[in-house]
Amino acid sequence: MITATLFQWVKLKQDVPNTPVKKGDTGVVLDPLHPTRKQPESGYTLEVFKDGETLDVIAVPISWVTPLPEIWGDSQYSSTDIQEKSLH
């Protein structure tokens, strides 16, 4: 399984229950999460964006996301560019 680094953009593979986050939304990795007794899979805390605005901050298992090649803060990309690219 390919893992993402801090501030790397990722695309959600599925809807996140009890949040406005849907399959195909994009977010930035804020923090890696270690496995616990309740959640045996490692995960990420993500800030998810929609139309250039923060939609939500969530925690999901690694298997729920696909890493994208872009890193947040890279001057050649904006959150809108990332969302448009992830649709293709």
Side-chain angles (χ1 to χ4, degrees), residues 10-59:
V10 295
K11 181 176 177 180
L12 274 292
K13 293 180 182 179
Q14 62 188 63
D15 294 353
V16 179
N18 305 314
T19 74
V21 179
K22 303 295 180 205
K23 178 181 178 179
D25 286 346
T26 56
V28 172
V29 175
L30 299 178
D31 198 25
L33 301 172
H34 300 288
T36 65
R37 287 184 189 161
K38 289 185 178 184
Q39 178 57 47
E41 183 180 351
S42 296
Y44 301 120
T45 300
L46 305 174
E47 183 171 359
V48 180
F49 295 89
K50 189 85 160 198
D51 300 323
E53 299 288 327
T54 299
L55 179 63
D56 206 349
V57 175
I58 58 169

Side-chain angles (χ1 to χ4, degrees), residues 55-77:
L55 179 63
D56 206 349
V57 175
I58 58 169
V60 296
I62 287 175
S63 63
W64 288 25
V65 302
T66 300
L68 299 173
E70 297 84 12
I71 302 295
W72 179 78
D74 188 338
S75 61
Q76 66 181 345
Y77 299 107

